[in-house]
RNA sequence: UCCCUAGUAGCUCAGUUGGUUAGAGCGGCGGACUGUUAAUCCGUAGGUCGUAGGUUCAAGUCCUACCUGGGGAGCCA
């Protein structure tokens, strides 16, 4: 007999039919004559209720059906006489596939703190919350590929190991096969990387963008979706040392095209989540409400599903950096000196400023554009005013910057000049400059932090709870 | 990296101005129960109070250092 998924049975199972299911026990309840087993197989957040007549089974096997144990159950699907579920499985045979010692299995049928579950990341998939998060995460990854594929973008695999350290996106992880205790040295006493595996210093990538531009200026539109590594000592709810990033890069796109794409892209993902993950989103929404029950009203977040629908149905606000500075200077917290950091044209916006704009002033996702060139990367399109560059950051409530992107400088001359000003070694990046030498075109792109986006969709407050095995400073367990 | 905060039973936490033998709920185990919904009821076991020093007649409680977690900031996605 073929095994059926619980999702399928709950959706369109026919009563009086013989079915076979396999899964893990969430709880077992019982009385003298009958035992109820909530079985979950990961296909859905919902459990299938198994009804076991005590008289039909050995005491031995019933005793070993504990939370966490795995079972194979065959029986007849029937309408449930109890409330809480439409159908239930009247067990005829139960095979205990794997025991779970109730004294040792850490996941109990009760509420666990997210901190505790993080320390049991290998088992936390077995909880409702993490089951929901990882099903949604999968759906979003799939929706990303679907969106770009339908738009004619090509999925480009940019390298994980890179020799360029000029990407300017923070500290990198060194990749080396040299003996760390006793590395070969040059005459001058520094480490001789010419003897290393690649014959030069190499690192894990901090961005696939530069290689992405090479692909885009031939294939037209590409995107990357891969792991990214930053060796920053960041200890926040929004940072990981290893995270996943989506980086589309498009030839012939100017900054406005870039913004249009970013907005349409985000909305299509949210739409996909609402259409395909409603069960899980509802659970996550309730979880969030429960968690925030003790918070004062004004600190509570909007209902998860309402929030997603709101973002889907409203245009993102688009303003320039200069306009944002004006708004901040006229704001109440600025006048009352509530901001901790200064607001002046030329300084980078702090999270408190971004939060004010998004959460208080506009109450809506905001795209900020045209930042001062001094606070942005060398490759961004230099605007005619000589002061700003064609950058765009998409700011979301609670998460902050979810997308960072720009139109890229396509003029070889201007780019080389800017690199010189910023002390970026042009010789090492000859390949990056070559696309400006040969058939240069305007082009744009952006990077979406996948985990930050999953935080937004699931309402999870800590980025470590939306990736299976988080890598953070001092933590690489599992 | 900086600031704040926490670490007591398997989990979540209480533990008074330092004072005798360290507490609860949940979970586990044993039993009861006519179909339960994180079932309920009765009983029971379970602790090097994060680690190392120090102050004191006396430290879970006070002090110092370190470790780990959480929140915030910076850096960024």
């Amino acid at each position: 007999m073929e095994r059926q998924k619980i999702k399928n049975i709950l959706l369109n199972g026919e009563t009086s039919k013989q079915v076979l299911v396999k899964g893990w026990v969430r709880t077992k309840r019982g009385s003298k004559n009958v035992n109820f087993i909530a079985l979950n197989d990961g296909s859905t957040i919902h459990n299938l209720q198994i009804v076991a007549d005590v008289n039909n089974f050995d005491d031995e096997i019933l005793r070993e059906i504990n939370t966490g144990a795995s079972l194979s159950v065959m029986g007849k699907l029937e309408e449930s006489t109890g409330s809480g579920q439409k159908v239930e499985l009247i067990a005829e045979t139960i095979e205990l596939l794997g025991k779970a010692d109730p004294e040792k299995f850490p996941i109990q049928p009760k509420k666990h703190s997210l901190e505790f579950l993080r320390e049991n990341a290998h088992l936390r998939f077995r909880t409702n919350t993490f089951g929901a998060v990882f099903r949604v995460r999968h759906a979003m990854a799939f929706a990303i590929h679907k969106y770009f594929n339908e738009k004619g973008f090509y999925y480009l695999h940019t390298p994980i190991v890179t020799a360029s350290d000029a990407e300017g996106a923070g500290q990198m992880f060194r990749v080396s096969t040299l003996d760390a205790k006793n590395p070969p040295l040059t005459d001058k006493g520094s480490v001789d990387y010419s003897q290393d595996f690649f014959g030069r210093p190499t690192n894990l990538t901090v961005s696939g963008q530069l290689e992405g531009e090479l692909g885009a200026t031939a294939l037209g539109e590409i995107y990357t979706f891969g792991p990214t590594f930053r060796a920053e000592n960041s200890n926040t709810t929004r940072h990981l040392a290893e995270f996943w990033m989506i980086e589309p890069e498009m030839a012939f796109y100017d900054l406005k095209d870039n913004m249009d794409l970013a907005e349409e892209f985000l909305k299509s993902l949210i739409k996909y989540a609402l259409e395909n993950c409603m069960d899980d989103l509802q659970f996550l929404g309730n979880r969030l409400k429960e968690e925030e029950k003790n918070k004062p009203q004004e600190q509570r977040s909007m209902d998860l599903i309402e929030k997603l629908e709101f973002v889907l149905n409203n245009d993102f606000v688009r303003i320039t950096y200069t306009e944002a500075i004006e708004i901040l200077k006229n704001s109440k917290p600025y006048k009352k000196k509530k901001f901790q950091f200064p607001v002046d044209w030329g300084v980078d916006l702090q999270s408190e400023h971004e939060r004010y704009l998004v959460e208080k002033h506009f109450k809506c996702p905001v795209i900020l554009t045209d930042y001062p060139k001094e606070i942005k990367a060398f490759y961004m399109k230099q605007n005619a005013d000589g002061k700003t560059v064609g950058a765009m950051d998409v700011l979301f409530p609670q998460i902050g910057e979810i997308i960072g992107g720009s139109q890229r400088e396509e003029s070889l001359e201007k780019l080389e000049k800017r690199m010189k000003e910023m002390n970026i070694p042009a010789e090492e990046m000859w390949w990056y400059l070559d696309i400006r030498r040969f058939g240069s075109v305007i082009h744009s792109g952006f990077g979406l932090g996948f985990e930050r986006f999953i935080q937004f969709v699931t309402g999870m407050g800590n980025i470590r709870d939306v990736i299976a095995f988080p890598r953070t400073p001092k933590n690489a367990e599992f």
Side-chain angles (χ1 to χ4, degrees):
Chain A
M1 191 176 212
E2 204 184 327
R3 175 196 158 216
Q4 287 198 49
K5 296 274 188 104
I6 288 173
K7 180 181 184 178
N8 214 31
I9 290 174
L10 295 179
L11 215 61
N12 34 22
E14 291 173 40
T15 52
S16 310
K17 279 249 171 105
Q18 215 42 39
V19 292
L20 171 69
V21 293
K22 296 181 184 184
W24 294 267
V25 176
R26 284 297 173 77
T27 58
K28 185 182 69 170
R29 300 171 289 274
S31 62
K32 200 178 200 173
N33 299 319
V34 68
N35 272 279
F36 299 95
I37 302 156
L39 198 73
N40 188 283
D41 68 358
S43 60
T44 162
I45 190 141
H46 301 297
N47 302 323
L48 178 64
Q49 173 154 283
I50 311 290
V51 182
D53 189 327
V54 172
N55 304 311
N56 297 344
F57 300 95
D58 287 348
D59 281 359
E60 188 64 20
I61 195 168
L62 290 177
R63 200 171 316 120
E64 289 186 325
I65 297 174
N66 304 116
T67 300
S70 48
L71 304 179
S72 171
V73 183
M74 193 152 56
K76 206 174 266 177
L77 199 66
E78 294 293 359
E79 233 171 85
S80 179
T81 53
S83 58
Q85 59 281 315
K86 274 202 187 113
V87 293
E88 61 193 16
L89 181 59
I90 313 298
E92 285 161 20
T93 61
I94 298 179
E95 190 191 342
L96 183 69
L97 300 174
K99 296 187 221 177
D101 184 342
E103 300 234 30
K104 292 185 182 138
F105 185 62
I107 312 297
Q108 303 161 1
K110 62 169 278 188
K111 213 178 205 99
H112 287 292
S113 66
L114 294 173
E115 292 83 357
F116 172 75
L117 292 171
R118 225 168 275 151
E119 285 166 16
N120 290 279
H122 58 312
L123 295 172
R124 65 180 177 170
F125 299 108
R126 305 233 188 144
T127 63
N128 286 332
T129 299
F130 286 92
V133 166
F134 288 107
R135 277 187 296 272
V136 171
R137 184 179 163 118
H138 158 79
M140 290 298 90
F142 177 78
I144 285 164
H145 288 300
K146 181 170 178 283
Y147 174 83
F148 284 127
N149 185 53
E150 285 169 4
K151 258 189 120 65
F153 281 56
Y154 299 108
Y155 180 24
L156 182 69
H157 295 103
T158 50
I160 308 284
V161 174
T162 164
S164 108
D165 62 353
E167 287 166 7
Q171 289 289 109
M172 302 176 97
F173 287 102
R174 170 69 29 98
V175 174
S176 176
T177 54
L178 294 178
D179 182 357
K181 260 188 186 162
N182 198 11
L185 299 179
T186 62
D187 298 343
K188 289 176 188 162
S190 52
V191 175
D192 184 5
Y193 287 106
S194 71
Q195 294 187 48
D196 204 345
F197 188 89
F198 294 105
R200 60 203 298 179
T202 48
N203 300 289
L204 293 179
T205 182
V206 291
S207 164
Q209 179 202 318
L210 303 189
E211 288 91 350
E213 287 185 46
L214 312 182
T217 51
L219 294 162
E221 290 117 341
I222 64 95
Y223 70 105
T224 74
F225 187 172
T228 308
F229 307 88
R230 306 262 167 101
E232 301 285 351
N233 191 6
S234 295
N235 292 287
T236 79
T237 54
R238 304 181 304 283
H239 288 86
L240 292 164
E242 177 183 289
F243 63 100
W244 290 69
M245 190 154 63
I246 298 100
E247 295 179 288
E249 194 69 38
M250 301 75 65
F252 317 115
Y253 273 50
D254 65 13
L255 191 66
K256 179 175 181 300
D257 300 328
N258 202 17
M259 287 192 278
D260 290 345
L261 181 78
E263 182 166 347
E264 184 190 75
F265 172 55
L266 289 170
K267 286 179 171 174
S268 87
L269 299 183
I270 289 167
K271 185 158 178 272
Y272 188 90
L274 288 168
E275 284 171 358
N276 294 276
C277 309
M278 210 28 140
D279 282 3
D280 289 322
L281 292 178
Q282 254 155 13
F283 176 85
L284 291 165
N286 290 339
R287 192 204 70 82
L288 191 63
K289 261 199 198 105
E290 189 68 19
E291 189 184 80
E292 296 188 339
K293 214 167 48 181
N294 299 324
K295 281 192 181 175
Q297 190 70 42
E298 68 274 10
Q299 280 178 32
R300 288 184 206 167
S301 33
M302 199 194 268
D303 174 77
L304 183 63
I305 291 164
E306 276 176 35
K307 180 186 81 177
L308 295 175
E309 282 168 347
F310 177 83
V311 171
L312 183 59
N313 296 324
N314 287 280
D315 290 341
F316 294 4
V317 170
R318 301 179 183 191
I319 56 166
T320 65
Y321 168 90
T322 306
E323 287 164 335
I325 293 288
E326 282 309 302
I327 290 167
L328 288 167
K329 288 212 156 185
N330 287 316
S331 72
K332 256 190 208 161
Y334 179 80
K335 287 176 177 162
K336 289 186 175 173
K337 298 196 170 18
K338 285 276 169 62
F339 287 137
Q340 208 187 321
F341 292 89
V343 179
D344 261 314
W345 200 96
V347 302
D348 210 353
L349 297 180
Q350 304 293 325
S351 359
E352 60 178 355
H353 307 137
E354 295 180 351
R355 291 188 75 129
Y356 173 81
L357 290 171
V358 174
E359 291 166 21
K360 294 269 152 50
H361 189 82
F362 290 113
K363 297 189 168 73
C364 181
V366 175
I367 310 182
L368 284 181
T369 62
D370 304 296
Y371 283 72
K373 64 179 181 186
E374 283 76 19
I375 58 173
K376 287 290 179 186
F378 73 92
Y379 50 72
M380 293 189 180
K381 171 80 181 171
Q382 295 163 36
N383 287 335
D385 62 13
K387 295 190 297 188
T388 61
V389 289
M392 59 156 221
D393 284 0
V394 181
L395 308 179
F396 264 31
Q398 273 143 16
I399 316 285
E401 185 183 339
I402 199 163
I403 279 182
S406 68
Q407 185 174 336
R408 320 305 189 190
E409 181 53 68
E410 79 281 5
S411 152
L412 178 67
E413 197 188 323
K414 285 186 185 169
L415 188 56
E416 281 183 325
K417 186 161 167 272
R418 188 76 187 126
M419 287 171 83
K420 195 167 265 174
E421 283 167 9
M422 294 175 78
N423 289 318
I424 290 159
E427 331 65 76
E428 279 178 31
M429 301 192 64
W430 60 272
W431 48 270
Y432 182 68
L433 296 170
D434 259 10
I435 58 167
R436 277 83 178 170
R437 274 187 194 105
F438 309 115
S440 189
V441 294
I442 65 159
H443 61 290
S444 300
F446 61 82
L448 169 70
F450 188 51
E451 283 77 16
R452 286 194 185 170
F453 180 69
I454 301 301
Q455 278 187 279
F456 179 76
V457 176
T458 60
M460 299 299 283
N462 193 317
I463 201 164
R464 291 160 204 175
D465 297 329
V466 296
I467 189 166
F469 302 106
R471 297 290 179 257
T472 52
K474 301 272 184 311
N475 186 6
E477 190 78 54
F478 309 110

